[in-house]
Amino acid sequence: MALEVPTAAPGAEDSTDTLLERITRQLPHLRRSEQRVAAIVLDNPVGAVHFTMAGLAEAAEVSEPTVMRFCASVGCEGFQDFKIQLAQTLALGLPVTHSSISAEDSAGDLSEKIFDHTISSLDRARRTLDADAVEAAITAVLGATDILFVGFGASGIIAQDAQQKFPLFGVPCQAPEDFHQQFIAATMSGPRSVTVAISNTGHTEQTLIVAEAAKKAGATVISLTGRTSPLSELADIALVARTFEDTDVYTPSTSRLAGLVVVDVLATGVALRRSPEHTAAIRRMKSELASMRQGVAVAAEPENLAEEPES
Amino acid sequence: MALEVPTAAPGAEDSTDTLLERITRQLPHLRRSEQRVAAIVLDNPVGAVHFTMAGLAEAAEVSEPTVMRFCASVGCEGFQDFKIQLAQTLALGLPVTHSSISAEDSAGDLSEKIFDHTISSLDRARRTLDADAVEAAITAVLGATDILFVGFGASGIIAQDAQQKFPLFGVPCQAPEDFHQQFIAATMSGPRSVTVAISNTGHTEQTLIVAEAAKKAGATVISLTGRTSPLSELADIALVARTFEDTDVYTPSTSRLAGLVVVDVLATGVALRRSPEHTAAIRRMKSELASMRQGVAVAAEPENLAEEPES
DNA sequence: TATGGTTTGTAGCGATACTACATGGAGGGA
DNA sequence: TCCCTCCATGTAGTATCGCTACAAACCATA
């Protein structure tokens, strides 16, 4: 194989991956001494940020040029670049693939780990989300007369949240929780209806049934999944937000979060492209909601009036 | 004041802030030439990462030591450290305070900005969340016989999500959407009940009423807010997850996301401290849910059986 | 064991970050 | 207004760092 640049190995420069992922993936393809460097870095990534090249070389018991070659092998321009990329990876926090959750963790450790994992996961979703698909989804929604959001479990939460954003979407939105209701709504879709089907696995039987019903009724189906799957295949527009999988029982699901952000993107994109009058209406609603919330108007329970922004 | 280190100015080394925030805050207190450096960095933070000291000095039309002094003034050890910290800040993405959303943005720009903003916001929440409060909340829930989650609008979404995590909490959880139902549930609380009251502003009238009712009934009240507020004052345990505020109409609310992650932390913390049998039960549930979801059992609609993990 | 190539280390160079010191200029008091 | 003081800024110099060209060592194969 190549002489000084075995880096040409599978996808070393793929910037959709974080540096630590790349190191881990490249590990077996590295030379022995470079593996020693990798081991030091992976063992204590946080400490490695403040290493100087000489320091890292000494710690790994190799020469400085070896460290250089290691940097090149994992897709960095040089040692400087390596340090910056490492720092950036670390800023997101380590996904639990690198630091797992244990029963001995203090509350502080725990929250740090879970936040880190969530942020890394969102970072991954950000890197892998297809902008063209988002564009297509926005366009589809702009032409819609009504939107149906469906999902079960955690994906149902995303559907509920999306439904709350109807002021931004500007057209009637529904997100029934009951499977039968979902099916009925899907069947009643027209050609200018949009159905957003949400399922992280993309395999959920019921969601597939509803999506198929909507499609048969002529609606445009947008899928929101965590990977390519039967649901994304079935959909007219497939939004895929990849996150880190749950590695053990205690790793909280991060796909919900990514899904929520994708819905945010969708809703914002749609609202931005609507008329200035629409913007004005949203602004008015937001300010009135703020004053209402503090009890200026307490005549009736107003929770159904406008639930969009947070309380 | 100090001669070479005017850095002693208010909170320059406060690591709960990101570097760009610190620069912005320190800006008026900096010397004129240092302000020029700051201007260059703030103007194009992304490009600044690859600057060399000489390059940055030239760009700002100052000498190298001035750049050094600037680094010190914003709480960095040196130029190297400055670059690393800047890189880390950038890795999170810029909150919309630095790059705002506009109607001309492409779908790609838009999703990048919103993801960036969300991630920065979660980073802020991560930095400001009080570990002791989390610990106290975990302990409180461990001693509870039942949990009530309340919130309206986006905070209601968090409550719904939390309710779905009842397998982790290990005790009955409810999260009624209706204000009256919430009030009734709160009033029926016992001394070993826990009520988690969620409101980003911490001012929402109805949430306050419910929290107060729960407290009067003898329950332990945990608040989950975005700032110290009437609700957090009222609560026995106050969880505060600070995020970046919505700067304009189109900035999606990120407080929901932070709230969800805090609930994740809480649920995970509680589950970790429960018995091994409990863990085993969760593991069993998760695997059976996975097979059920793919249609192995389709006799009845099973959406109420176990909605915890994502679908 | 000899010989090809690959892996690793040595030596040296230019550039970089950092420090000690000197100069320039603004502001205040007589 | 002039001088003096103090603070801001730049100049000169140095140790160190990152990087490259080259040589030695290693391993495998014939």
Coordinates of all heavy atoms in Angstrom, one line a residue, chain C residues 6-21:
Chain C
dT6 P 6.5 -0.9 0.6 OP1 5.3 -1.2 -0.1 OP2 7.3 0.3 0.2 O5' 6.3 -0.8 2.2 C5' 6.1 -2.0 2.9 C4' 6.5 -1.8 4.3 O4' 8.0 -1.7 4.4 C3' 6.0 -0.5 5.0 O3' 5.3 -0.9 6.2 C2' 7.3 0.3 5.4 C1' 8.3 -0.8 5.4 N1 9.7 -0.3 5.2 C2 10.7 -0.5 6.2 O2 10.4 -1.0 7.3 N3 11.9 0.0 5.9 C4 12.3 0.6 4.7 O4 13.5 1.0 4.6 C5 11.3 0.7 3.7 C7 11.6 1.4 2.4 C6 10.0 0.3 4.0
dT7 P 4.3 0.2 6.9 OP1 3.1 -0.5 7.2 OP2 4.4 1.5 6.1 O5' 5.1 0.5 8.2 C5' 5.6 -0.7 9.0 C4' 6.7 -0.2 9.9 O4' 7.8 0.2 9.1 C3' 6.4 0.9 10.8 O3' 6.5 0.5 12.2 C2' 7.5 2.0 10.5 C1' 8.6 1.1 9.8 N1 9.5 1.9 8.9 C2 10.8 2.0 9.2 O2 11.3 1.6 10.3 N3 11.5 2.7 8.3 C4 11.1 3.2 7.1 O4 11.9 3.8 6.3 C5 9.7 3.0 6.8 C7 9.1 3.5 5.5 C6 8.9 2.3 7.7
dT8 P 6.1 1.5 13.4 OP1 5.8 0.6 14.5 OP2 5.1 2.4 12.8 O5' 7.4 2.3 13.7 C5' 8.4 1.6 14.4 C4' 9.7 2.5 14.4 O4' 10.0 2.8 13.1 C3' 9.6 3.8 15.2 O3' 10.2 3.7 16.4 C2' 10.3 4.8 14.2 C1' 10.9 4.0 13.1 N1 10.9 4.6 11.8 C2 12.1 5.1 11.3 O2 13.2 4.9 11.9 N3 12.0 5.7 10.1 C4 10.9 5.9 9.3 O4 11.0 6.4 8.2 C5 9.7 5.4 9.9 C7 8.4 5.5 9.2 C6 9.7 4.8 11.1
dG9 P 10.3 5.0 17.4 OP1 10.4 4.5 18.7 OP2 9.3 5.9 17.0 O5' 11.8 5.6 17.0 C5' 12.9 4.8 17.1 C4' 14.1 5.5 16.5 O4' 13.9 5.8 15.1 C3' 14.4 6.8 17.2 O3' 15.8 6.9 17.5 C2' 14.0 7.9 16.3 C1' 14.3 7.2 14.9 N9 13.4 7.7 13.8 C8 12.1 7.7 13.8 N7 11.6 8.2 12.7 C5 12.8 8.6 12.0 C6 12.9 9.3 10.7 O6 12.0 9.6 9.9 N1 14.3 9.5 10.4 C2 15.3 9.1 11.2 N2 16.5 9.4 10.7 N3 15.2 8.5 12.4 C4 13.9 8.3 12.7
dT10 P 16.4 8.1 18.4 OP1 17.4 7.5 19.4 OP2 15.3 8.9 18.9 O5' 17.2 8.9 17.3 C5' 18.3 8.3 16.5 C4' 18.9 9.4 15.7 O4' 18.0 9.7 14.6 C3' 19.3 10.7 16.4 O3' 20.7 11.0 16.0 C2' 18.3 11.7 15.9 C1' 18.0 11.1 14.5 N1 16.6 11.5 14.0 C2 16.5 12.2 12.8 O2 17.4 12.5 12.1 N3 15.2 12.4 12.4 C4 14.0 12.0 13.1 O4 12.9 12.3 12.7 C5 14.2 11.3 14.3 C7 13.1 10.9 15.2 C6 15.5 11.1 14.7
dA11 P 21.3 12.3 16.6 OP1 22.8 12.0 16.7 OP2 20.6 12.7 17.8 O5' 21.1 13.4 15.4 C5' 21.5 13.0 14.1 C4' 21.3 14.2 13.2 O4' 19.9 14.3 12.8 C3' 21.7 15.6 13.8 O3' 22.4 16.4 12.8 C2' 20.4 16.2 14.2 C1' 19.4 15.6 13.2 N9 18.1 15.5 13.6 C8 17.6 15.1 14.8 N7 16.3 15.0 14.9 C5 15.9 15.5 13.6 C6 14.6 15.7 13.1 N6 13.5 15.4 13.7 N1 14.5 16.1 11.8 C2 15.7 16.4 11.1 N3 16.9 16.2 11.6 C4 16.9 15.8 12.8
dG12 P 23.0 17.8 13.2 OP1 24.3 17.9 12.5 OP2 22.9 18.0 14.6 O5' 22.0 18.8 12.4 C5' 21.6 18.5 11.1 C4' 20.5 19.4 10.7 O4' 19.3 18.9 11.3 C3' 20.6 20.9 11.1 O3' 20.3 21.7 10.0 C2' 19.7 21.0 12.3 C1' 18.6 20.1 11.8 N9 17.6 19.6 12.9 C8 18.0 19.2 14.1 N7 16.9 18.8 14.8 C5 15.8 19.0 14.0 C6 14.5 18.9 14.2 O6 13.9 18.4 15.2 N1 13.7 19.2 13.0 C2 14.3 19.7 11.9 N2 13.4 20.0 10.9 N3 15.6 19.8 11.7 C4 16.3 19.5 12.7
dC13 P 20.8 23.2 10.0 OP1 22.0 23.3 9.1 OP2 20.8 23.8 11.4 O5' 19.6 24.0 9.2 C5' 18.7 23.2 8.4 C4' 17.3 23.8 8.5 O4' 16.5 23.2 9.6 C3' 17.3 25.3 8.8 O3' 16.4 26.0 7.9 C2' 16.8 25.4 10.3 C1' 15.9 24.2 10.3 N1 15.7 23.7 11.7 C2 14.4 23.3 12.1 O2 13.4 23.5 11.3 N3 14.2 22.9 13.4 C4 15.2 22.7 14.2 N4 14.9 22.2 15.4 C5 16.5 23.1 13.8 C6 16.7 23.5 12.6
dG14 P 16.7 27.5 7.6 OP1 17.1 27.6 6.2 OP2 17.5 28.1 8.6 O5' 15.2 28.1 7.7 C5' 14.1 27.4 7.1 C4' 12.9 27.6 7.9 O4' 13.1 26.9 9.2 C3' 12.5 29.0 8.3 O3' 11.2 29.3 7.8 C2' 12.7 29.1 9.8 C1' 12.5 27.7 10.2 N9 13.3 27.4 11.5 C8 14.6 27.5 11.7 N7 15.0 27.1 12.9 C5 13.8 26.6 13.4 C6 13.6 26.1 14.7 O6 14.4 25.8 15.6 N1 12.2 25.7 14.9 C2 11.3 25.9 14.0 N2 10.0 25.5 14.3 N3 11.4 26.4 12.8 C4 12.7 26.8 12.6
dA15 P 10.6 30.7 7.9 OP1 9.9 31.0 6.7 OP2 11.6 31.7 8.4 O5' 9.6 30.5 9.1 C5' 8.8 29.3 9.1 C4' 8.1 29.1 10.4 O4' 9.0 28.8 11.5 C3' 7.4 30.4 10.9 O3' 6.2 30.1 11.4 C2' 8.3 30.9 12.0 C1' 8.9 29.6 12.6 N9 10.1 29.7 13.3 C8 11.3 30.3 12.8 N7 12.3 30.2 13.6 C5 11.8 29.5 14.7 C6 12.3 29.1 15.9 N6 13.6 29.3 16.3 N1 11.5 28.4 16.8 C2 10.3 28.2 16.5 N3 9.6 28.5 15.3 C4 10.5 29.2 14.5
dT16 P 5.1 31.2 11.6 OP1 3.9 31.0 10.7 OP2 5.8 32.5 11.7 O5' 4.6 30.9 13.1 C5' 4.7 29.5 13.6 C4' 4.8 29.5 15.1 O4' 6.2 29.6 15.5 C3' 4.1 30.7 15.7 O3' 3.0 30.3 16.5 C2' 5.2 31.3 16.6 C1' 6.3 30.3 16.7 N1 7.7 30.9 16.7 C2 8.5 30.6 17.8 O2 8.2 29.8 18.7 N3 9.7 31.1 17.7 C4 10.2 32.0 16.8 O4 11.3 32.5 16.8 C5 9.3 32.3 15.7 C7 9.7 33.2 14.6 C6 8.1 31.7 15.7
dA17 P 2.0 31.2 17.1 OP1 0.6 30.7 17.1 OP2 2.2 32.6 16.6 O5' 2.4 31.2 18.6 C5' 2.4 30.0 19.4 C4' 3.2 30.1 20.6 O4' 4.6 30.6 20.3 C3' 2.7 31.1 21.6 O3' 2.7 30.5 22.9 C2' 3.6 32.3 21.5 C1' 4.9 31.7 21.1 N9 5.8 32.6 20.4 C8 5.5 33.3 19.3 N7 6.6 33.9 18.8 C5 7.6 33.6 19.7 C6 9.0 34.0 19.7 N6 9.5 34.8 18.8 N1 9.7 33.5 20.7 C2 9.1 32.7 21.6 N3 7.9 32.3 21.7 C4 7.2 32.8 20.7
dC18 P 1.9 31.2 24.1 OP1 1.4 30.2 25.0 OP2 0.9 32.2 23.5 O5' 3.0 32.1 24.8 C5' 4.1 31.4 25.4 C4' 5.3 32.3 25.7 O4' 5.7 32.9 24.4 C3' 5.0 33.5 26.6 O3' 5.6 33.3 27.8 C2' 5.6 34.7 25.8 C1' 6.4 34.1 24.8 N1 6.7 34.9 23.6 C2 7.9 35.5 23.4 O2 8.8 35.3 24.2 N3 8.1 36.3 22.3 C4 7.1 36.5 21.4 N4 7.4 37.2 20.4 C5 5.8 35.9 21.6 C6 5.6 35.1 22.7
dT19 P 5.6 34.4 29.0 OP1 5.6 33.7 30.3 OP2 4.4 35.3 28.7 O5' 6.9 35.2 28.8 C5' 8.2 34.6 28.9 C4' 9.3 35.6 29.0 O4' 9.5 36.2 27.7 C3' 9.0 36.7 30.0 O3' 10.3 36.9 30.8 C2' 8.7 37.9 29.1 C1' 9.5 37.6 27.9 N1 8.9 38.2 26.6 C2 9.7 38.9 25.8 O2 10.9 39.2 26.0 N3 9.1 39.4 24.7 C4 7.7 39.2 24.3 O4 7.3 39.7 23.3 C5 7.0 38.4 25.2 C7 5.5 38.1 24.9 C6 7.6 37.9 26.3
dA20 P 10.3 37.9 32.0 OP1 10.9 37.1 33.1 OP2 9.0 38.5 32.2 O5' 11.4 39.0 31.5 C5' 12.6 38.6 30.9 C4' 13.3 39.8 30.4 O4' 12.6 40.2 29.1 C3' 13.3 41.1 31.3 O3' 14.6 41.7 31.2 C2' 12.2 41.9 30.7 C1' 12.3 41.6 29.2 N9 11.0 41.8 28.5 C8 9.7 41.4 28.9 N7 8.8 41.7 28.1 C5 9.4 42.3 27.0 C6 9.0 42.8 25.8 N6 7.7 42.8 25.4 N1 9.9 43.3 24.9 C2 11.2 43.3 25.3 N3 11.8 42.9 26.5 C4 10.8 42.3 27.3
dC21 P 14.8 43.0 32.1 OP1 16.3 43.0 32.5 OP2 13.8 43.2 33.1 O5' 14.7 44.2 31.0 C5' 15.4 44.1 29.8 C4' 14.9 45.2 28.8 O4' 13.6 44.8 28.4 C3' 14.9 46.6 29.3 O3' 15.7 47.4 28.5 C2' 13.4 47.0 29.3 C1' 12.9 46.1 28.2 N1 11.4 45.8 28.2 C2 10.6 46.2 27.1 O2 11.2 46.7 26.1 N3 9.3 45.9 27.2 C4 8.8 45.4 28.3 N4 7.4 45.1 28.3 C5 9.6 45.0 29.4 C6 10.9 45.2 29.3

